[in-house]
Amino acid sequence: GVVIAPMIEEVLFRVYHFRTLRAQMGPFTAILASGLLFAFAHLHPDLIIPLTALVATLAFLYEWTGSLRVPIAVHGLYNLGMFAAVHLQLSG
């Protein structure tokens, strides 16, 4: 969840979906659309806004740097933080 999932999801959502959307609607709209697409794909209605914000940030980082390394690293750190928060909540 911290290494493999971010790599797979970033390739799928950044390389495939974001590039396709960017070619059709430009970078700004594609950043927002890819965020919404990712959020809805995770099937957590209560997380649509935070996931959209996270993925819009990841798409912006990809657009800005032109590299998948930064969004993969940020995505992995986010997942690590979520795992840690759940673990602390369950153990506390």
Side-chain angles (χ1 to χ4, degrees), residues 49-88:
I49 292 172
L51 284 177
T52 299
L54 169 68
V55 176
T57 301
L58 296 174
F60 171 78
L61 291 170
Y62 176 66
E63 177 71 16
W64 185 41
T65 65
S67 170
L68 278 177
R69 289 182 183 152
V70 175
I72 287 171
V74 172
H75 192 153
L77 289 171
Y78 173 82
N79 286 1
L80 179 62
M82 291 296 103
F83 287 134
V86 167
H87 177 73
L88 289 172

Side-chain angles (χ1 to χ4, degrees), residues 8-37:
I8 292 169
E9 288 179 344
E10 289 307 308
V11 168
L12 177 65
F13 282 92
R14 234 54 59 223
V15 174
Y16 179 73
H17 292 296
F18 177 70
R19 283 185 184 175
T20 301
L21 292 169
R22 187 181 189 280
Q24 295 173 356
M25 57 184 69
F28 179 75
T29 306
I31 286 170
L32 294 177
S34 68
L36 285 169
L37 181 64

